[in-house]
Amino acid sequence: QKEVEQNSGPLSVPEGAIASLNCTYSDRGSQSFFWYRQYSGKSPELIMFIYSNGDKEDGRFTAQLNKASQYVSLLIRDSQPSDSATYLCAVKSSNYQLIWGAGTKLIIKP
Amino acid sequence: DGGITQSPKYLFRKEGQNVTLSCEQNLNHDAMYWYRQDPGQGLRLIYYSQIVNDFQKGDIAEGYSVSREKKESFPLTVTSAQKNPTAFYLCASSIKGAPEAFFGQGTRLTVV
C-alpha cells in the first residue's frame, strides 16, 4: 500500500516567521511531488511541484526534496495570515497514480 | 475564462436515490478525474479518464459510475449502492501525463 504521511496539525506560526511543512512517502519509485493549498470549503490549488533532489524556490515558497530519505517539505517565508489553510502533499507513484496525504492545517497568528 | 465547472455546489440526496454530479471543462484537457474528500482525510480517487469513451476505476469506485462521451464532460453518478455518500466531491483535469493541476470548486453531497 503506497502511502503519503503528513502531520495533521494544526501548526501554529507567528506572522512573519517561516512555516515548515513536512511529508514522507513510502514508494521509493516516486518521481513527482506536489504541494497543494486548500482553504476551508474550497478546492485544492497547486502551489509547487518538484521532481529533483534539492530545493526549488518560487517567491515565498520553497519546496525541498530528499529522495534518499523519502521526504518532501514546503517552507513558507514571511508567513501571512492569508497563508492559513490546509496544505496537501501529493506524490505521483511509480504506477503514475497520484497519492495524497491527509494534509497539514497551518494557522498564521497575527 | 478557462476552467472547470462543477455543479451543483450543494446537493442533498434521499436514501435510495441516484444523483449525478456535473463536471465540465473548457481547458481542452485530455484527462479528467473524480475524487472524494472526507474530513481529516486525503483525496481518494473514484474514477479517471484519459480519453473520450474510456475510463478506469480508482481506489473507491464501488457505488459510483461515470461516462466520458465528450472531452469536455465527465459526470459522476452516485448510486444507491454507495452506502456512505456524504462527502465533498472534487473533479479535476490535466493534460495527459501531467499532474492534476486544475480542480473544480467541488460539490458537497449530503444524504438526508
Side-chain angles (χ1 to χ4, degrees), chain B residues 20-52:
Chain B
T20 297
L21 284 59
S22 170
C23 178
E24 304 277 334
Q25 55 98 0
N26 60 6
L27 300 165
N28 201 34
H29 284 173
D30 293 301
M32 297 186 73
Y33 308 81
W34 274 105
Y35 289 98
R36 168 180 173 143
Q37 187 176 35
D38 294 282
Q41 294 191 35
L43 278 64
R44 292 185 289 168
L45 184 64
I46 304 172
Y47 269 98
Y48 64 100
S49 168
Q50 303 277 18
I51 195 170
V52 174

PDB file of all heavy atoms in Angstrom, chain B residues 20-52:
ATOM      1  N   THR B  20     -26.592  12.664  -9.890  1.00  0.00           N
ATOM      2  CA  THR B  20     -25.496  12.877 -10.828  1.00  0.00           C
ATOM      3  C   THR B  20     -24.862  14.234 -10.591  1.00  0.00           C
ATOM      4  O   THR B  20     -25.559  15.248 -10.525  1.00  0.00           O
ATOM      5  CB  THR B  20     -25.985  12.766 -12.279  1.00  0.00           C
ATOM      6  OG1 THR B  20     -26.463  11.433 -12.495  1.00  0.00           O
ATOM      7  CG2 THR B  20     -24.849  13.049 -13.255  1.00  0.00           C
ATOM      8  N   LEU B  21     -23.530  14.221 -10.467  1.00  0.00           N
ATOM      9  CA  LEU B  21     -22.750  15.437 -10.289  1.00  0.00           C
ATOM     10  C   LEU B  21     -22.124  15.801 -11.631  1.00  0.00           C
ATOM     11  O   LEU B  21     -21.533  14.947 -12.306  1.00  0.00           O
ATOM     12  CB  LEU B  21     -21.651  15.217  -9.243  1.00  0.00           C
ATOM     13  CG  LEU B  21     -22.033  15.191  -7.764  1.00  0.00           C
ATOM     14  CD1 LEU B  21     -23.057  14.094  -7.444  1.00  0.00           C
ATOM     15  CD2 LEU B  21     -20.781  15.002  -6.912  1.00  0.00           C
ATOM     16  N   SER B  22     -22.234  17.069 -11.970  1.00  0.00           N
ATOM     17  CA  SER B  22     -21.746  17.521 -13.270  1.00  0.00           C
ATOM     18  C   SER B  22     -20.327  18.067 -13.162  1.00  0.00           C
ATOM     19  O   SER B  22     -19.965  18.710 -12.172  1.00  0.00           O
ATOM     20  CB  SER B  22     -22.677  18.606 -13.807  1.00  0.00           C
ATOM     21  OG  SER B  22     -22.135  19.230 -14.948  1.00  0.00           O
ATOM     22  N   CYS B  23     -19.514  17.810 -14.191  1.00  0.00           N
ATOM     23  CA  CYS B  23     -18.176  18.386 -14.290  1.00  0.00           C
ATOM     24  C   CYS B  23     -17.903  18.701 -15.761  1.00  0.00           C
ATOM     25  O   CYS B  23     -17.943  17.793 -16.608  1.00  0.00           O
ATOM     26  CB  CYS B  23     -17.128  17.424 -13.755  1.00  0.00           C
ATOM     27  SG  CYS B  23     -15.440  18.078 -13.898  1.00  0.00           S
ATOM     28  N   GLU B  24     -17.657  19.971 -16.046  1.00  0.00           N
ATOM     29  CA  GLU B  24     -17.387  20.425 -17.402  1.00  0.00           C
ATOM     30  C   GLU B  24     -16.095  21.250 -17.410  1.00  0.00           C
ATOM     31  O   GLU B  24     -15.895  22.077 -16.525  1.00  0.00           O
ATOM     32  CB  GLU B  24     -18.526  21.316 -17.911  1.00  0.00           C
ATOM     33  CG  GLU B  24     -19.909  20.686 -17.874  1.00  0.00           C
ATOM     34  CD  GLU B  24     -20.182  19.812 -19.078  1.00  0.00           C
ATOM     35  OE1 GLU B  24     -19.571  20.055 -20.131  1.00  0.00           O
ATOM     36  OE2 GLU B  24     -21.010  18.885 -18.961  1.00  0.00           O
ATOM     37  N   GLN B  25     -15.238  21.014 -18.422  1.00  0.00           N
ATOM     38  CA  GLN B  25     -14.012  21.808 -18.528  1.00  0.00           C
ATOM     39  C   GLN B  25     -13.833  22.326 -19.960  1.00  0.00           C
ATOM     40  O   GLN B  25     -14.205  21.646 -20.912  1.00  0.00           O
ATOM     41  CB  GLN B  25     -12.776  20.983 -18.088  1.00  0.00           C
ATOM     42  CG  GLN B  25     -12.566  19.664 -18.794  1.00  0.00           C
ATOM     43  CD  GLN B  25     -11.582  19.679 -19.921  1.00  0.00           C
ATOM     44  OE1 GLN B  25     -10.981  20.714 -20.234  1.00  0.00           O
ATOM     45  NE2 GLN B  25     -11.385  18.529 -20.569  1.00  0.00           N
ATOM     46  N   ASN B  26     -13.310  23.535 -20.058  1.00  0.00           N
ATOM     47  CA  ASN B  26     -13.039  24.127 -21.369  1.00  0.00           C
ATOM     48  C   ASN B  26     -11.551  24.412 -21.543  1.00  0.00           C
ATOM     49  O   ASN B  26     -11.168  25.352 -22.254  1.00  0.00           O
ATOM     50  CB  ASN B  26     -13.881  25.393 -21.572  1.00  0.00           C
ATOM     51  CG  ASN B  26     -13.591  26.457 -20.529  1.00  0.00           C
ATOM     52  OD1 ASN B  26     -12.681  26.299 -19.709  1.00  0.00           O
ATOM     53  ND2 ASN B  26     -14.344  27.535 -20.544  1.00  0.00           N
ATOM     54  N   LEU B  27     -10.747  23.578 -20.903  1.00  0.00           N
ATOM     55  CA  LEU B  27      -9.292  23.734 -20.959  1.00  0.00           C
ATOM     56  C   LEU B  27      -8.667  22.858 -22.037  1.00  0.00           C
ATOM     57  O   LEU B  27      -7.447  22.863 -22.212  1.00  0.00           O
ATOM     58  CB  LEU B  27      -8.690  23.370 -19.591  1.00  0.00           C
ATOM     59  CG  LEU B  27      -9.183  24.216 -18.423  1.00  0.00           C
ATOM     60  CD1 LEU B  27      -8.820  23.564 -17.092  1.00  0.00           C
ATOM     61  CD2 LEU B  27      -8.609  25.619 -18.515  1.00  0.00           C
ATOM     62  N   ASN B  28      -9.492  22.086 -22.715  1.00  0.00           N
ATOM     63  CA  ASN B  28      -9.020  21.140 -23.731  1.00  0.00           C
ATOM     64  C   ASN B  28      -8.099  20.076 -23.140  1.00  0.00           C
ATOM     65  O   ASN B  28      -7.208  19.549 -23.819  1.00  0.00           O
ATOM     66  CB  ASN B  28      -8.320  21.857 -24.891  1.00  0.00           C
ATOM     67  CG  ASN B  28      -8.276  21.006 -26.153  1.00  0.00           C
ATOM     68  OD1 ASN B  28      -9.204  20.230 -26.425  1.00  0.00           O
ATOM     69  ND2 ASN B  28      -7.211  21.125 -26.924  1.00  0.00           N
ATOM     70  N   HIS B  29      -8.315  19.765 -21.855  1.00  0.00           N
ATOM     71  CA  HIS B  29      -7.523  18.731 -21.216  1.00  0.00           C
ATOM     72  C   HIS B  29      -8.034  17.353 -21.597  1.00  0.00           C
ATOM     73  O   HIS B  29      -9.237  17.127 -21.689  1.00  0.00           O
ATOM     74  CB  HIS B  29      -7.582  18.887 -19.692  1.00  0.00           C
ATOM     75  CG  HIS B  29      -6.741  20.008 -19.190  1.00  0.00           C
ATOM     76  ND1 HIS B  29      -6.771  20.414 -17.863  1.00  0.00           N
ATOM     77  CD2 HIS B  29      -5.837  20.805 -19.802  1.00  0.00           C
ATOM     78  CE1 HIS B  29      -5.907  21.405 -17.704  1.00  0.00           C
ATOM     79  NE2 HIS B  29      -5.341  21.660 -18.860  1.00  0.00           N
ATOM     80  N   ASP B  30      -7.098  16.429 -21.787  1.00  0.00           N
ATOM     81  CA  ASP B  30      -7.491  15.062 -22.124  1.00  0.00           C
ATOM     82  C   ASP B  30      -7.970  14.282 -20.905  1.00  0.00           C
ATOM     83  O   ASP B  30      -8.895  13.484 -20.982  1.00  0.00           O
ATOM     84  CB  ASP B  30      -6.298  14.314 -22.738  1.00  0.00           C
ATOM     85  CG  ASP B  30      -5.900  14.885 -24.081  1.00  0.00           C
ATOM     86  OD1 ASP B  30      -6.756  14.888 -24.988  1.00  0.00           O
ATOM     87  OD2 ASP B  30      -4.754  15.326 -24.211  1.00  0.00           O
ATOM     88  N   ALA B  31      -7.303  14.474 -19.782  1.00  0.00           N
ATOM     89  CA  ALA B  31      -7.555  13.643 -18.609  1.00  0.00           C
ATOM     90  C   ALA B  31      -8.483  14.345 -17.622  1.00  0.00           C
ATOM     91  O   ALA B  31      -8.371  15.552 -17.380  1.00  0.00           O
ATOM     92  CB  ALA B  31      -6.234  13.306 -17.916  1.00  0.00           C
ATOM     93  N   MET B  32      -9.398  13.582 -17.062  1.00  0.00           N
ATOM     94  CA  MET B  32     -10.299  14.094 -16.031  1.00  0.00           C
ATOM     95  C   MET B  32     -10.418  13.077 -14.905  1.00  0.00           C
ATOM     96  O   MET B  32     -10.263  11.871 -15.131  1.00  0.00           O
ATOM     97  CB  MET B  32     -11.684  14.412 -16.626  1.00  0.00           C
ATOM     98  CG  MET B  32     -11.626  15.515 -17.682  1.00  0.00           C
ATOM     99  SD  MET B  32     -13.236  16.041 -18.272  1.00  0.00           S
ATOM    100  CE  MET B  32     -13.855  16.981 -16.860  1.00  0.00           C
ATOM    101  N   TYR B  33     -10.685  13.582 -13.709  1.00  0.00           N
ATOM    102  CA  TYR B  33     -10.644  12.757 -12.507  1.00  0.00           C
ATOM    103  C   TYR B  33     -11.786  13.132 -11.570  1.00  0.00           C
ATOM    104  O   TYR B  33     -12.185  14.291 -11.510  1.00  0.00           O
ATOM    105  CB  TYR B  33      -9.327  12.986 -11.745  1.00  0.00           C
ATOM    106  CG  TYR B  33      -8.086  12.832 -12.576  1.00  0.00           C
ATOM    107  CD1 TYR B  33      -7.632  13.871 -13.389  1.00  0.00           C
ATOM    108  CD2 TYR B  33      -7.350  11.650 -12.545  1.00  0.00           C
ATOM    109  CE1 TYR B  33      -6.500  13.734 -14.167  1.00  0.00           C
ATOM    110  CE2 TYR B  33      -6.206  11.508 -13.317  1.00  0.00           C
ATOM    111  CZ  TYR B  33      -5.788  12.555 -14.119  1.00  0.00           C
ATOM    112  OH  TYR B  33      -4.653  12.422 -14.891  1.00  0.00           O
ATOM    113  N   TRP B  34     -12.242  12.149 -10.814  1.00  0.00           N
ATOM    114  CA  TRP B  34     -13.161  12.401  -9.714  1.00  0.00           C
ATOM    115  C   TRP B  34     -12.536  11.913  -8.421  1.00  0.00           C
ATOM    116  O   TRP B  34     -12.061  10.771  -8.333  1.00  0.00           O
ATOM    117  CB  TRP B  34     -14.491  11.684  -9.916  1.00  0.00           C
ATOM    118  CG  TRP B  34     -15.478  12.447 -10.731  1.00  0.00           C
ATOM    119  CD1 TRP B  34     -15.845  12.233 -12.025  1.00  0.00           C
ATOM    120  CD2 TRP B  34     -16.249  13.581 -10.300  1.00  0.00           C
ATOM    121  NE1 TRP B  34     -16.780  13.144 -12.419  1.00  0.00           N
ATOM    122  CE2 TRP B  34     -17.042  13.985 -11.382  1.00  0.00           C
ATOM    123  CE3 TRP B  34     -16.336  14.286  -9.086  1.00  0.00           C
ATOM    124  CZ2 TRP B  34     -17.930  15.062 -11.307  1.00  0.00           C
ATOM    125  CZ3 TRP B  34     -17.209  15.356  -9.008  1.00  0.00           C
ATOM    126  CH2 TRP B  34     -17.997  15.746 -10.110  1.00  0.00           C
ATOM    127  N   TYR B  35     -12.559  12.797  -7.425  1.00  0.00           N
ATOM    128  CA  TYR B  35     -12.061  12.469  -6.100  1.00  0.00           C
ATOM    129  C   TYR B  35     -13.170  12.668  -5.067  1.00  0.00           C
ATOM    130  O   TYR B  35     -14.069  13.480  -5.234  1.00  0.00           O
ATOM    131  CB  TYR B  35     -10.907  13.388  -5.693  1.00  0.00           C
ATOM    132  CG  TYR B  35      -9.620  13.163  -6.415  1.00  0.00           C
ATOM    133  CD1 TYR B  35      -9.272  13.958  -7.497  1.00  0.00           C
ATOM    134  CD2 TYR B  35      -8.738  12.173  -5.996  1.00  0.00           C
ATOM    135  CE1 TYR B  35      -8.063  13.769  -8.152  1.00  0.00           C
ATOM    136  CE2 TYR B  35      -7.532  11.980  -6.645  1.00  0.00           C
ATOM    137  CZ  TYR B  35      -7.199  12.781  -7.716  1.00  0.00           C
ATOM    138  OH  TYR B  35      -6.004  12.594  -8.349  1.00  0.00           O
ATOM    139  N   ARG B  36     -13.008  11.964  -3.979  1.00  0.00           N
ATOM    140  CA  ARG B  36     -13.862  12.169  -2.812  1.00  0.00           C
ATOM    141  C   ARG B  36     -12.962  12.594  -1.661  1.00  0.00           C
ATOM    142  O   ARG B  36     -11.860  12.050  -1.482  1.00  0.00           O
ATOM    143  CB  ARG B  36     -14.562  10.846  -2.485  1.00  0.00           C
ATOM    144  CG  ARG B  36     -15.255  10.829  -1.149  1.00  0.00           C
ATOM    145  CD  ARG B  36     -15.929   9.515  -0.884  1.00  0.00           C
ATOM    146  NE  ARG B  36     -16.438   9.490   0.489  1.00  0.00           N
ATOM    147  CZ  ARG B  36     -17.553   8.926   0.854  1.00  0.00           C
ATOM    148  NH1 ARG B  36     -18.302   8.268  -0.048  1.00  0.00           N
ATOM    149  NH2 ARG B  36     -17.949   8.952   2.111  1.00  0.00           N
ATOM    150  N   GLN B  37     -13.428  13.582  -0.879  1.00  0.00           N
ATOM    151  CA  GLN B  37     -12.685  14.033   0.286  1.00  0.00           C
ATOM    152  C   GLN B  37     -13.593  13.990   1.506  1.00  0.00           C
ATOM    153  O   GLN B  37     -14.671  14.588   1.509  1.00  0.00           O
ATOM    154  CB  GLN B  37     -12.138  15.449   0.086  1.00  0.00           C
ATOM    155  CG  GLN B  37     -11.206  15.893   1.213  1.00  0.00           C
ATOM    156  CD  GLN B  37     -10.598  17.263   0.950  1.00  0.00           C
ATOM    157  OE1 GLN B  37     -11.230  18.146   0.369  1.00  0.00           O
ATOM    158  NE2 GLN B  37      -9.338  17.444   1.359  1.00  0.00           N
ATOM    159  N   ASP B  38     -13.144  13.275   2.523  1.00  0.00           N
ATOM    160  CA  ASP B  38     -13.838  13.220   3.801  1.00  0.00           C
ATOM    161  C   ASP B  38     -13.032  14.002   4.827  1.00  0.00           C
ATOM    162  O   ASP B  38     -11.805  14.129   4.691  1.00  0.00           O
ATOM    163  CB  ASP B  38     -14.010  11.758   4.245  1.00  0.00           C
ATOM    164  CG  ASP B  38     -14.937  11.001   3.316  1.00  0.00           C
ATOM    165  OD1 ASP B  38     -16.157  11.183   3.451  1.00  0.00           O
ATOM    166  OD2 ASP B  38     -14.446  10.248   2.454  1.00  0.00           O
ATOM    167  N   PRO B  39     -13.681  14.514   5.870  1.00  0.00           N
ATOM    168  CA  PRO B  39     -12.983  15.334   6.861  1.00  0.00           C
ATOM    169  C   PRO B  39     -11.746  14.640   7.411  1.00  0.00           C
ATOM    170  O   PRO B  39     -11.811  13.473   7.807  1.00  0.00           O
ATOM    171  CB  PRO B  39     -14.047  15.545   7.952  1.00  0.00           C
ATOM    172  CG  PRO B  39     -15.346  15.426   7.235  1.00  0.00           C
ATOM    173  CD  PRO B  39     -15.133  14.377   6.178  1.00  0.00           C
ATOM    174  N   GLY B  40     -10.611  15.342   7.429  1.00  0.00           N
ATOM    175  CA  GLY B  40      -9.385  14.811   8.002  1.00  0.00           C
ATOM    176  C   GLY B  40      -8.697  13.752   7.153  1.00  0.00           C
ATOM    177  O   GLY B  40      -7.755  13.114   7.618  1.00  0.00           O
ATOM    178  N   GLN B  41      -9.176  13.583   5.926  1.00  0.00           N
ATOM    179  CA  GLN B  41      -8.567  12.571   5.066  1.00  0.00           C
ATOM    180  C   GLN B  41      -8.076  13.200   3.762  1.00  0.00           C
ATOM    181  O   GLN B  41      -8.540  14.260   3.348  1.00  0.00           O
ATOM    182  CB  GLN B  41      -9.578  11.472   4.738  1.00  0.00           C
ATOM    183  CG  GLN B  41     -10.006  10.662   5.947  1.00  0.00           C
ATOM    184  CD  GLN B  41     -10.784   9.425   5.553  1.00  0.00           C
ATOM    185  OE1 GLN B  41     -10.506   8.809   4.527  1.00  0.00           O
ATOM    186  NE2 GLN B  41     -11.750   9.039   6.360  1.00  0.00           N
ATOM    187  N   GLY B  42      -7.145  12.507   3.135  1.00  0.00           N
ATOM    188  CA  GLY B  42      -6.682  12.953   1.834  1.00  0.00           C
ATOM    189  C   GLY B  42      -7.713  12.664   0.754  1.00  0.00           C
ATOM    190  O   GLY B  42      -8.750  12.051   1.002  1.00  0.00           O
ATOM    191  N   LEU B  43      -7.422  13.118  -0.446  1.00  0.00           N
ATOM    192  CA  LEU B  43      -8.305  12.859  -1.569  1.00  0.00           C
ATOM    193  C   LEU B  43      -8.190  11.398  -1.987  1.00  0.00           C
ATOM    194  O   LEU B  43      -7.094  10.839  -2.047  1.00  0.00           O
ATOM    195  CB  LEU B  43      -7.931  13.745  -2.756  1.00  0.00           C
ATOM    196  CG  LEU B  43      -8.461  15.177  -2.746  1.00  0.00           C
ATOM    197  CD1 LEU B  43      -7.903  15.984  -1.598  1.00  0.00           C
ATOM    198  CD2 LEU B  43      -8.165  15.851  -4.077  1.00  0.00           C
ATOM    199  N   ARG B  44      -9.341  10.797  -2.269  1.00  0.00           N
ATOM    200  CA  ARG B  44      -9.343   9.409  -2.731  1.00  0.00           C
ATOM    201  C   ARG B  44      -9.942   9.360  -4.125  1.00  0.00           C
ATOM    202  O   ARG B  44     -11.008   9.933  -4.382  1.00  0.00           O
ATOM    203  CB  ARG B  44     -10.124   8.520  -1.763  1.00  0.00           C
ATOM    204  CG  ARG B  44      -9.422   8.365  -0.406  1.00  0.00           C
ATOM    205  CD  ARG B  44     -10.150   7.383   0.481  1.00  0.00           C
ATOM    206  NE  ARG B  44     -11.423   7.903   0.954  1.00  0.00           N
ATOM    207  CZ  ARG B  44     -12.360   7.160   1.553  1.00  0.00           C
ATOM    208  NH1 ARG B  44     -12.169   5.863   1.715  1.00  0.00           N
ATOM    209  NH2 ARG B  44     -13.474   7.717   1.983  1.00  0.00           N
ATOM    210  N   LEU B  45      -9.257   8.656  -5.012  1.00  0.00           N
ATOM    211  CA  LEU B  45      -9.639   8.620  -6.414  1.00  0.00           C
ATOM    212  C   LEU B  45     -10.807   7.672  -6.643  1.00  0.00           C
ATOM    213  O   LEU B  45     -10.755   6.494  -6.261  1.00  0.00           O
ATOM    214  CB  LEU B  45      -8.433   8.194  -7.257  1.00  0.00           C
ATOM    215  CG  LEU B  45      -8.615   8.177  -8.769  1.00  0.00           C
ATOM    216  CD1 LEU B  45      -8.893   9.588  -9.296  1.00  0.00           C
ATOM    217  CD2 LEU B  45      -7.374   7.591  -9.431  1.00  0.00           C
ATOM    218  N   ILE B  46     -11.847   8.174  -7.302  1.00  0.00           N
ATOM    219  CA  ILE B  46     -13.024   7.363  -7.586  1.00  0.00           C
ATOM    220  C   ILE B  46     -12.922   6.772  -8.995  1.00  0.00           C
ATOM    221  O   ILE B  46     -12.979   5.566  -9.176  1.00  0.00           O
ATOM    222  CB  ILE B  46     -14.320   8.191  -7.464  1.00  0.00           C
ATOM    223  CG1 ILE B  46     -14.424   8.853  -6.087  1.00  0.00           C
ATOM    224  CG2 ILE B  46     -15.542   7.307  -7.719  1.00  0.00           C
ATOM    225  CD1 ILE B  46     -15.582   9.830  -5.970  1.00  0.00           C
ATOM    226  N   TYR B  47     -12.813   7.636  -9.983  1.00  0.00           N
ATOM    227  CA  TYR B  47     -12.676   7.233 -11.377  1.00  0.00           C
ATOM    228  C   TYR B  47     -11.786   8.246 -12.087  1.00  0.00           C
ATOM    229  O   TYR B  47     -11.694   9.394 -11.676  1.00  0.00           O
ATOM    230  CB  TYR B  47     -14.048   7.221 -12.088  1.00  0.00           C
ATOM    231  CG  TYR B  47     -14.796   5.924 -12.059  1.00  0.00           C
ATOM    232  CD1 TYR B  47     -15.807   5.707 -11.127  1.00  0.00           C
ATOM    233  CD2 TYR B  47     -14.526   4.918 -12.989  1.00  0.00           C
ATOM    234  CE1 TYR B  47     -16.515   4.511 -11.107  1.00  0.00           C
ATOM    235  CE2 TYR B  47     -15.235   3.724 -12.976  1.00  0.00           C
ATOM    236  CZ  TYR B  47     -16.228   3.527 -12.030  1.00  0.00           C
ATOM    237  OH  TYR B  47     -16.931   2.347 -12.011  1.00  0.00           O
ATOM    238  N   TYR B  48     -11.164   7.810 -13.182  1.00  0.00           N
ATOM    239  CA  TYR B  48     -10.452   8.744 -14.027  1.00  0.00           C
ATOM    240  C   TYR B  48     -10.590   8.323 -15.487  1.00  0.00           C
ATOM    241  O   TYR B  48     -10.868   7.157 -15.791  1.00  0.00           O
ATOM    242  CB  TYR B  48      -8.976   8.867 -13.616  1.00  0.00           C
ATOM    243  CG  TYR B  48      -8.145   7.619 -13.777  1.00  0.00           C
ATOM    244  CD1 TYR B  48      -7.305   7.452 -14.879  1.00  0.00           C
ATOM    245  CD2 TYR B  48      -8.166   6.628 -12.808  1.00  0.00           C
ATOM    246  CE1 TYR B  48      -6.533   6.327 -15.020  1.00  0.00           C
ATOM    247  CE2 TYR B  48      -7.387   5.500 -12.936  1.00  0.00           C
ATOM    248  CZ  TYR B  48      -6.572   5.342 -14.033  1.00  0.00           C
ATOM    249  OH  TYR B  48      -5.796   4.211 -14.161  1.00  0.00           O
ATOM    250  N   SER B  49     -10.365   9.315 -16.344  1.00  0.00           N
ATOM    251  CA  SER B  49     -10.492   9.082 -17.782  1.00  0.00           C
ATOM    252  C   SER B  49      -9.359   9.810 -18.485  1.00  0.00           C
ATOM    253  O   SER B  49      -9.147  10.996 -18.261  1.00  0.00           O
ATOM    254  CB  SER B  49     -11.851   9.598 -18.276  1.00  0.00           C
ATOM    255  OG  SER B  49     -11.893   9.627 -19.687  1.00  0.00           O
ATOM    256  N   GLN B  50      -8.646   9.077 -19.326  1.00  0.00           N
ATOM    257  CA  GLN B  50      -7.534   9.684 -20.057  1.00  0.00           C
ATOM    258  C   GLN B  50      -7.937  10.088 -21.473  1.00  0.00           C
ATOM    259  O   GLN B  50      -7.224  10.845 -22.138  1.00  0.00           O
ATOM    260  CB  GLN B  50      -6.353   8.708 -20.142  1.00  0.00           C
ATOM    261  CG  GLN B  50      -5.830   8.218 -18.801  1.00  0.00           C
ATOM    262  CD  GLN B  50      -4.852   9.179 -18.148  1.00  0.00           C
ATOM    263  OE1 GLN B  50      -4.784  10.357 -18.505  1.00  0.00           O
ATOM    264  NE2 GLN B  50      -4.103   8.708 -17.175  1.00  0.00           N
ATOM    265  N   ILE B  51      -9.098   9.559 -21.909  1.00  0.00           N
ATOM    266  CA  ILE B  51      -9.510   9.817 -23.285  1.00  0.00           C
ATOM    267  C   ILE B  51     -11.016   9.608 -23.390  1.00  0.00           C
ATOM    268  O   ILE B  51     -11.615   8.874 -22.586  1.00  0.00           O
ATOM    269  CB  ILE B  51      -8.744   8.881 -24.256  1.00  0.00           C
ATOM    270  CG1 ILE B  51      -8.853   9.359 -25.701  1.00  0.00           C
ATOM    271  CG2 ILE B  51      -9.187   7.451 -24.082  1.00  0.00           C
ATOM    272  CD1 ILE B  51      -7.925   8.604 -26.632  1.00  0.00           C
ATOM    273  N   VAL B  52     -11.616  10.230 -24.384  1.00  0.00           N
ATOM    274  CA  VAL B  52     -13.060  10.090 -24.568  1.00  0.00           C
ATOM    275  C   VAL B  52     -13.433   8.618 -24.749  1.00  0.00           C
ATOM    276  O   VAL B  52     -12.700   7.840 -25.357  1.00  0.00           O
ATOM    277  CB  VAL B  52     -13.514  10.920 -25.798  1.00  0.00           C
ATOM    278  CG1 VAL B  52     -14.979  10.674 -26.114  1.00  0.00           C
ATOM    279  CG2 VAL B  52     -13.272  12.397 -25.546  1.00  0.00           C
TER     280      VAL B  52
END
